[in-house]
Amino acid sequence: MDRCVVLVDAGYLLGAAASLLAGEPSRSRITVDHSALIQGLRECAESDTERPLLRIYWFDGAPDRVPQPEHRRLRVMPRVTVRLGALTRSDGRWAQKGVDAAMHAELTELARNRACSDVVLVTGDGDLLPGMMAAKEHGVAVHLWAVQAADGDYNQSEDLVAEADERRVLDRAWITKAVRAKEISGICAPVAPPGPEIAAILSAPLPDSSLAASTGQAADGSDDDRRHSAAAAANGTQERNHPGKGVPTPKDLAALRAPAGPSAPPASATLRWSSDKGWVERPAAGEAPEAAGLPMLAQLTTAEQRWADREEDITTVGGDPFEVGEVFARRWMERLPEPFQVQKLSGMYPRIPHRIDGELLRYAARFGLLAHKDDQIDEHDRYAIRAGFWREIQARSSEQVPAGD
């Protein structure tokens, strides 16, 4: 039939784009506007082949073949079909399994059934050569697209290039319409700097070395000590290392916020510690009763709202950690039966009550934000998630305060 089909190897397309724009093939170094990318592929394919588009097949890997947030967004787009292979980790590196075989099977099946007259392949893997040759034998014109190589050389199999009927290179100008490199900075939050209390905690000097020594942490402590210290500082703070001093514990950070003087009340910080049994909550005096009165988002959400939330997550929420925190906070505040509870939470800044904080991080996990190398939680993402949460809480709180107060 006189239609065209596009088969995209997402690992090649996005890896090559990351090499071109960020200098390394890691997809974590780029941000992708999938709607703009799909639209660009469609327009380009219809222009090159002079045929209407039948469908775009998006081939990618995923752990246990479970769709990730980007796959969920893609598969609800018109004329897009997502095919997933496995994503496995070996020797510290991620590798796709089954993606090439799935592309080969789809290509030969489309050609054998005469479902299209033209096929566009966005790939560089020479394993697809037999499938390309079979498609040509069934009378299908094969168009091979490459992403501009960062070093100006080829990033495709030479045999694949030689066998293609038509070739095209997607250059930097085309790629940057939908893909951009992430800016590398010390703080992940992309909008405003943290609030003054968080900034004060992060910038304040450590207590003297005697306090650090009393925690059992030396400057040259073991890897296990450092890992536990980083976990303990998770709730709203970042790990900081200072020459000649131990890593600050949550107790140290709470002390930095406490008023000076022997009669000063204790800091209202929630201390969180790591243990063999997981997270252990040790609330400061006076905080637990206040936090206990705040409902979780799940308690405020009806079945209809839950369905609408999932639809919004799939179609409009991009998955940026700062944005994820804002979305969660917005839903929580909009569904509160008592507006004064927003003010109550604002008074706990910068600490998020343990139950709500856990729910927030579980929500963020839907977007793949917490699954990083070695399955460890990335502290910068956690900071940005909470920063987005507080930014939305503070914005809504200011809107609720009557004029003149």
Side-chain angles (χ1 to χ4, degrees), residues 12 121-126 144-147 149 153-161 167-169:
Y12 166 76
L121 293 177
V122 186
T123 184
D125 198 327
L144 182 65
W145 290 0
V147 176
D153 203 351
Y154 289 108
N155 53 12
Q156 288 178 310
S157 163
E158 184 177 343
D159 292 335
L160 209 62
V161 171
R167 290 194 65 241
R168 180 187 184 96
V169 176

Side-chain angles (χ1 to χ4, degrees), residues 78-394:
R79 305 276 179 159
V80 176
T81 295
V82 175
R83 297 279 189 259
L84 294 179
L87 192 63
T88 60
R89 190 175 181 83
S90 177
D91 297 329
R93 300 183 64 181
W94 290 101
Q96 295 183 157
K97 301 293 184 182
V99 173
D100 296 336
M103 289 188 71
H104 179 278
E106 199 71 57
L107 175 58
T108 54
E109 192 69 13
L110 288 168
R112 185 182 300 114
N113 293 328
R114 301 187 182 278
C116 58
S117 60
D118 294 75
V119 169
V120 175
L121 293 177
V122 186
T123 184
D125 198 327
D127 290 346
L128 279 177
L129 182 61
M132 178 187 287
M133 296 173 66
K136 291 174 64 177
E137 290 173 0
H138 284 89
V140 174
V142 180
H143 303 250
L144 182 65
W145 290 0
V147 176
Q148 179 183 338
D151 57 5
D153 203 351
Y154 289 108
N155 53 12
Q156 288 178 310
S157 163
E158 184 177 343
D159 292 335
L160 209 62
V161 171
E163 192 66 28
D165 294 309
E166 302 285 347
R167 290 194 65 241
R168 180 187 184 96
V169 176
L170 304 175
D171 59 15
R172 180 186 292 268
W174 191 94
I175 292 293
T176 52
K177 292 178 182 178
V179 183
R180 63 180 177 84
K182 290 182 179 178
E183 295 183 2
I184 304 300
S185 59
I187 295 179
C188 186
V191 188
E197 293 190 39
I198 291 180
I201 290 175
L202 295 178
S203 62
L206 284 174
D208 58 28
S209 57
S210 62
L211 191 154
S214 69
T215 66
Q217 293 175 328
D220 59 349
S222 67
D223 291 341
D224 187 64
D225 289 337
R226 286 193 292 271
R227 182 170 64 252
H228 282 210
S229 300
N235 193 11
T237 62
Q238 285 182 296
E239 176 186 353
R240 291 180 294 117
N241 290 288
H242 295 260
K245 294 186 178 181
V247 177
T249 68
K251 192 171 183 178
D252 301 336
L253 296 171
L256 293 175
R257 297 180 62 243
S263 60
S268 60
T270 298
L271 307 184
R272 301 184 66 194
W273 306 78
S274 62
S275 72
D276 293 339
K277 297 181 180 179
W279 289 113
V280 176
E281 185 72 11
R282 299 185 182 179
E287 184 182 70
E290 298 177 8
L294 295 174
M296 297 172 63
L297 178 61
Q299 298 171 315
L300 304 171
T301 303
T302 65
E304 292 79 8
Q305 288 173 325
R306 189 173 296 109
W307 184 91
D309 289 348
R310 295 292 287 178
E311 186 72 13
E312 181 184 12
D313 291 343
I314 292 171
T315 58
T316 62
V317 180
D320 176 84
F322 197 89
E323 178 190 13
V324 166
E326 289 182 312
V327 171
F328 182 93
R330 169 174 55 80
R331 292 173 182 169
W332 187 80
M333 287 184 290
E334 288 176 348
R335 296 166 192 174
L336 280 175
E338 302 293 342
F340 75 87
Q341 291 174 318
V342 176
Q343 299 296 331
K344 180 189 290 188
L345 179 63
S346 298
M348 302 177 188
Y349 176 86
R351 301 290 179 176
I352 303 175
H354 176 56
R355 294 187 308 142
I356 296 176
D357 184 62
E359 189 180 32
L360 169 61
L361 294 181
R362 288 193 297 272
Y363 169 66
R366 297 180 188 174
F367 298 89
L369 291 173
L370 306 185
H372 289 270
K373 62 181 181 178
D374 301 324
D375 297 324
Q376 297 296 313
I377 294 175
D378 185 271
E379 188 64 22
H380 294 292
D381 280 355
R382 294 176 68 144
Y383 176 79
I385 292 164
R386 294 182 176 112
F389 176 89
W390 279 119
R391 179 62 174 259
E392 188 71 11
I393 292 289
Q394 291 169 343

